[in-house]
């Protein structure tokens, strides 16, 4: 606890210094109080005024016994979760100088494809190749729910803002909504194509954005019927879906080695991100958006990382191939001051801007 308190005090001082520096150049910047910074950081709602562009890999660790599939950082930024082909869901404590092993959650009967934390970080969910998703309590590491009903591997899972409801998407071409109070599937949406990823906007949790094998981004309103309210053709198979915090844009990564930003108000593709040598390594390669919506990033099959400016589509950083195999997922920490990436061959790396 003492180390955690020291870590958060240091994070708060870094954030305050960044805000003070920004205020010198922009009079419109309003500096939040120290109490507000600490409270929002603890809740995971603080948006960093300037996320870093990762340039230096300063920490690396082999995390699993078999191929690594995915990672997820908790909302408060203290925990990293990883899952892979070895059927294990592992938790790691994040610090400024790296991360250390914390706990292992067992119970999955096949590889783990997707991970999500509940809004209050009390629960964690994993979607598995064994046609099921499971939810554990982080406090006691026990399985609280096993959600079975898909007829093929489950590719994506998300908590709704209401912690009693979750959504899963699978290779069986369905999206399922689950009521954790009744421990049953409350609704099934037949989408017509394998669902590779999905996301929900924080400002409107009744909307579901799903990316599919048939090159479509579909938007569903859970208050309406099972028909998609919007369908956007994004040219190639979708591997990941990530919403910007502004709730106006959606980042999709596609198998034609291009990232695209879709304006969800007009259903039009606004921006495309490309780079020489970039090649997405699988149908489940995950791209990400920085906490302040300034940058987007994705990993390549050759182990390199690419980071673009979200506004100008300019390539900010083409990080050399520190990974030895295909990069499958990446993420900024919630404060925007560190960056994590994982490769198929078990390694997770941590990056900074210096």
């Amino acid at each position: 606890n003492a180390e955690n308190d020291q870590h958060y005090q240091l994070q708060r001082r870094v954030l305050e210094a960044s805000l003070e520096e920004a205020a010198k150049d922009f009079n419109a910047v309003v500096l939040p109080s120290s109490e507000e910074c600490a409270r929002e950081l603890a809740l995971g709602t603080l948006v960093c005024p300037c996320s870093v562009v990762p340039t230096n890999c300063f920490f690396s660790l082999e995390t699993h016994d078999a191929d690594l599939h995915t990672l997820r950082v908790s909302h408060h930024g203290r925990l990293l979760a990883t899952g892979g082909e070895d059927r294990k869901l592992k938790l790691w404590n994040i610090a400024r100088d790296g991360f250390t092993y914390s706990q292992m959650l067992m119970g999955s009967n096949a590889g783990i494809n997707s991970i999500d934390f509940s809004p209050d970080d009390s629960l964690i969910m994993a979607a598995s190749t064994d046609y099921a998703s499971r939810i554990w309590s982080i406090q006691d590491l026990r399985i609280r729910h096993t959600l079975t009903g898909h007829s093929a591997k489950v590719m994506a899972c998300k908590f709704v803002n209401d912690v009693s409801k979750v959504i899963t998407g699978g290779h069986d071409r369905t999206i399922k909504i689950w009521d954790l109070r009744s421990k049953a599937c409350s609704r099934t949406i037949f989408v017509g194509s394998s669902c590779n990823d999905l996301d929900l906007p924080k400002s409107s949790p009744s909307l579901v954005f799903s990316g599919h094998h048939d090159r479509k981004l579909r938007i569903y309103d859970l208050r309406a019927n099972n028909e998609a309210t919007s369908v956007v053709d994004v040219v190639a198979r979708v591997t990941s879906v990530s919403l910007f915090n502004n709730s106006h844009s959606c980042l999709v990564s596609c198998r034609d080695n291009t990232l695209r930003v879709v304006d969800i108000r007009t259903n039009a593709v606004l921006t495309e991100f490309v780079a020489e040598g970039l090649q997405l390594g699988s149908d489940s390669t995950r791209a990400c958006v920085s906490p302040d919506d300034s940058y987007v990033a994705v990993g390549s099959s050759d182990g390199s990382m690419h980071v673009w400016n979200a506004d100008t589509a300019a390539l900010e950083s083409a990080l050399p191939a520190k990974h030895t195999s295909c990069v499958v997922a990446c993420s900024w920490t919630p404060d925007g001051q560190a960056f994590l990436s994982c490769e198929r061959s078990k390694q997770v790396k941590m990056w900074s801007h210096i």
Side-chain angles (χ1 to χ4, degrees), residues 53-241:
V53 176
T55 56
N56 174 47
C57 177
F58 67 90
F59 186 83
S60 180
L61 188 67
E62 185 171 305
T63 56
H64 283 259
D65 302 324
D67 286 356
L68 186 57
H69 290 170
T70 187
L71 61 76
R72 180 74 65 177
V73 180
S74 64
H75 301 288
H76 55 47
R78 296 195 295 265
L79 286 176
L80 166 68
T82 58
E85 194 63 29
D86 60 1
R87 304 177 296 174
K88 298 172 183 176
L89 177 61
K90 293 186 177 182
L91 299 178
W92 310 81
N93 294 317
I94 299 177
R96 292 187 63 85
D97 58 350
F99 53 89
T100 55
Y101 175 76
S102 174
Q103 302 286 351
M104 181 165 59
L105 306 177
M106 303 293 290
S108 178
N109 296 316
I112 292 172
N113 301 316
S114 179
I115 301 170
D116 195 33
F117 285 91
S118 64
D120 60 359
D121 285 330
S122 64
L123 302 172
I124 186 170
M125 175 168 52
S128 176
T129 303
D130 65 358
Y131 306 177
S133 298
R134 293 169 179 82
I135 299 174
W136 291 262
S137 168
I138 293 179
Q139 183 175 9
D140 59 16
L141 308 180
R142 294 177 60 187
I143 292 180
R144 296 301 182 186
H145 306 279
T146 299
L147 310 176
T148 58
H150 284 281
S151 59
K153 62 182 177 181
V154 187
M155 297 298 297
C157 59
K158 281 288 181 182
F159 280 93
V160 183
N161 283 356
D162 178 4
V163 75
S164 65
K165 186 182 294 185
V166 299
I167 298 179
T168 59
H171 200 62
D172 59 357
R173 300 178 291 179
T174 66
I175 293 173
K176 292 182 178 291
I177 297 92
W178 306 83
D179 188 336
L180 300 185
R181 290 167 296 192
S182 64
K183 300 182 179 180
C185 176
S186 60
R187 186 173 174 184
T188 297
I189 302 174
F190 295 92
V191 295
S193 179
S194 172
C195 177
N196 289 339
D197 197 17
L198 53 81
D199 202 0
L200 291 79
K202 296 180 179 64
S203 60
S204 182
S206 62
L207 296 179
V208 178
F209 292 74
S210 58
H212 299 272
H213 190 272
D214 65 355
R215 305 178 300 178
K216 300 292 193 299
L217 171 70
R218 290 178 170 86
I219 304 172
Y220 293 90
D221 190 336
L222 299 183
R223 298 166 298 185
N225 56 29
N226 286 356
E227 296 295 325
T229 58
S230 300
V231 179
V232 183
D233 190 334
V234 291
V235 182
R237 296 195 304 273
V238 178
T239 71
S240 71
V241 176

